[in-house]
Amino acid sequence: MSPIRYKQLDVFAARHGGGNPLGVVIDAEGWSDERMQRFAHWTNLVETTFLLPARAEGANYRARIFTPSKEIPFAGHPTIGSAHAALDAGLITPDAAGVVWQECGAGVLPILVEGTGPDRELFVQSPKARVVGDGSKGGECLSSVLYGVTLGALKPACVEGGRRWWVAEFADEATLRGWRPDHAAIRALALATDTLGLCVFARTAEGLAVRAFPAGVGIVEDPASGAANGLIAAYVATHDTTGTLSKGYIVSQGREVGHDARIIIRIDGEHVWVGGRTNTIIDGVVDWRDA
């Protein structure tokens, strides 16, 4: 039996150990759903992905994304990390435009490849986002979560695009970084409104500082959220068409939980691209046997 290659990555990292960890099983063809889920539960990472031959027309490969408890259709850092692993493993090469096409539960997504080696940056085009509710839809649950917080210019909203999140702008970076949220209240909001939870952001000199609380899937605070930042960018772009954020910006995330993520946002008309750098931390093989 051929060795099953495995990588553990640090995605969206400003420094080693600063991003969001991801496990990637390179040679997952023939793995059952149950085997993938059991392995993802064992790694106990936020997400683990499994690379497979493409099924959809135009795709270079397929990535299945699992949390420790379930499969999900799309998330940002697993998408970027899976492309990084597939490139390094020699499974794919960019086309003439520098793009690879990844199939996932959200469809076939373009990923732009810029640079080579340790300086390489990857950008995924986020699924199209739309506002599905204003603050009134969150009712007392949202009011409870944000009680006492001085909010910024943009009103809280529920935004959907691959995933569904509540987003809220805080008045300034100091308020955001010093906030001690009620995690039980965020979970109640997530369950009541069928969302992942709440993302909060504040404007900085480079762009935005972001904190994400996906309590709907049992995570207290996410150190680097690609999909969530795509939704925030889409929401900001529709309300700030000529401001300093209208073409893109840099996101700082994760410092409150001991990380230091750097996420690059590009806004090109209706399209939002989310990207950054990925570091390979562990490169080896998996010995994983069915019971």
Side-chain angles (χ1 to χ4, degrees):
M1 180 179 291
S2 299
I4 298 170
R5 293 172 291 175
Y6 175 76
K7 295 178 185 287
Q8 194 155 317
L9 310 177
D10 185 28
V11 185
F12 296 136
R15 53 180 172 80
H16 275 63
N20 210 345
L22 177 74
V24 184
V25 176
I26 307 294
D27 309 295
E29 189 173 9
W31 281 44
S32 66
D33 294 1
E34 188 277 335
R35 193 182 197 196
M36 292 181 190
Q37 186 62 76
R38 196 163 63 89
F39 184 75
H41 179 78
W42 177 82
T43 66
N44 201 33
L45 297 170
V46 177
E47 279 104 8
T48 302
T49 67
F50 302 84
L51 304 189
L52 301 157
R55 297 187 305 187
E57 184 178 354
N60 298 119
Y61 66 102
R62 180 162 63 112
R64 295 183 65 180
I65 306 170
F66 286 77
T67 74
S69 60
K70 66 178 182 179
E71 185 174 9
I72 59 175
F74 172 77
H77 96 274
T79 297
I80 293 292
S82 293
H84 171 92
L87 286 163
D88 280 0
L91 299 183
I92 56 173
T93 55
D95 64 17
V99 174
V100 297
W101 296 86
Q102 178 174 291
E103 178 185 354
C104 66
V108 179
L109 303 178
I111 299 172
L112 180 64
V113 182
E114 294 187 354
T116 59
D119 294 326
R120 183 178 63 203
E121 293 177 333
L122 304 178
F123 296 83
V124 61
Q125 185 177 306
S126 295
K128 190 172 178 61
R130 63 190 181 96
V131 175
V132 295
D134 59 18
S136 64
K137 187 176 179 180
E140 292 183 3
C141 288
L142 182 62
S143 297
S144 175
V145 169
L146 297 176
Y147 178 77
V149 175
T150 303
L151 297 176
L154 299 183
K155 296 180 180 180
C158 186
V159 187
E160 181 178 63
R163 317 295 292 277
R164 179 182 290 186
W165 283 89
W166 283 97
V167 298
E169 181 180 1
F170 280 26
D172 53 62
E173 184 178 0
T175 299
L176 177 95
R177 296 201 182 278
W179 189 45
R180 296 186 177 182
D182 182 338
H183 296 290
I186 296 175
R187 178 166 174 76
L189 171 67
L191 295 177
T193 57
D194 190 25
T195 60
L196 267 72
L198 173 70
C199 295
V200 295
F201 62 94
R203 301 176 196 236
T204 68
E206 277 198 305
L208 295 182
V210 170
R211 298 179 68 183
F213 307 97
V217 290
I219 299 170
V220 174
E221 184 164 356
D222 195 348
S225 311
N229 273 291
L231 293 182
I232 291 171
Y235 184 55
V236 169
T238 59
H239 292 81
D240 190 8
T241 57
T242 60
T244 58
L245 304 177
S246 61
K247 298 298 182 183
Y249 50 85
I250 304 297
V251 171
S252 168
Q253 187 178 348
R255 293 180 186 175
E256 293 73 24
V257 288
H259 289 248
D260 186 17
R262 183 178 186 271
I263 301 172
I264 305 168
I265 301 295
R266 295 177 180 172
I267 301 171
D268 178 17
E270 295 183 352
H271 301 303
V272 172
W273 295 81
V274 179
R277 189 174 300 176
T278 297
N279 302 311
T280 299
I281 306 300
I282 298 170
D283 191 352
V285 298
V286 168
D287 181 7
W288 190 252
R289 306 175 191 182
D290 293 323

